[in-house]
Amino acid sequence: DALGHTVGDTLLKAVAGRLQSCVGETDTLARMGGDEFVILQSSATQPLEATSLATRIVEALSAPFVVQEHQMVVGASIGIALSPHDGTEPEQLLKNADIALSRAKSEGRGTCRFFEKGMDVRMQARPGWTKSACLLSGHAWPPLFRHPVGGGMQSSCPRGSVPGGHR
């Protein structure tokens, strides 16, 4: 925002490009609004593929961006929900990925978290927590990643592992 909407829009497009380079041919990348993106990933080798994708995303976004002669560092916090363990409906998976994202953000920048049962209870107990859901159609709903990106944040998710990954 400090550099204007044009720079912000250009940065978001560059972030989307790097994210697109991380996902597989059968994955779906969507911008949810603001600086949040969702990735739908289908793979028979979950949660390994989700862990691998999260690591690739953090690494890809850790390199500085240059937009209109401004160098910017972007970071990612990542929330992951897996189907069918964390839900079978799009709304539930998105909600659970959002809850995992909130946990990741609360634990520090560049953190990746899988949804865990009980996270939703802790989140609902927090003041100001509201439910958010979005219906997405036309896809199978295995792993769902949700992550915001923002200027000035450093990513630090360890190579080859996702903190909090329990599967």
Side-chain angles (χ1 to χ4, degrees):
D1 285 339
L3 299 174
H5 292 292
T6 302
V7 171
D9 289 345
T10 303
L11 177 61
L12 282 172
K13 289 176 186 176
V15 167
R18 286 195 193 172
L19 291 173
Q20 190 65 50
S21 72
C22 294
V23 300
E25 288 183 20
T26 60
D27 299 340
T28 301
L29 170 66
R31 180 173 168 225
M32 293 297 290
D35 62 355
E36 289 192 350
F37 292 83
V38 171
I39 298 171
L40 302 173
Q41 182 187 43
S42 61
S43 172
T45 57
Q46 293 302 343
L48 270 87
E49 287 296 319
T51 301
S52 177
L53 178 57
T55 300
R56 288 193 312 268
I57 288 169
V58 169
E59 288 176 1
L61 296 180
S62 66
F65 290 84
V66 178
V67 178
Q68 295 182 4
E69 299 180 16
H70 299 282
Q71 185 170 343
M72 294 171 264
V73 177
V74 171
S77 295
I78 300 174
I80 302 170
L82 299 174
S83 175
H85 187 267
D86 300 327
T88 57
E89 296 296 318
E91 297 90 352
Q92 188 66 44
L93 285 169
L94 186 59
K95 175 187 168 206
N96 290 344
D98 196 36
I99 290 169
L101 171 62
S102 294
R103 169 62 72 81
K105 289 162 91 175
S106 74
E107 293 178 3
R109 296 180 176 135
T111 305
C112 311
R113 288 289 175 255
F114 281 89
F115 176 78
E116 296 175 1
K117 301 285 187 225
M119 278 183 175
D120 53 343
V121 174
R122 288 189 295 270
M123 290 303 298
Q124 290 176 25
R126 291 174 56 181
W129 184 86
T130 59
K131 295 179 182 178
S132 69
C134 178
L135 176 62
L136 302 174
S137 60
H139 297 281
W141 300 99
L144 181 71
F145 287 74
R146 185 158 182 172
H147 51 91
V149 293
M153 294 185 209
Q154 275 292 11
S155 297
S156 60
C157 195
R159 185 183 222 7
S161 68
V162 177
H166 63 282
R167 295 182 183 75

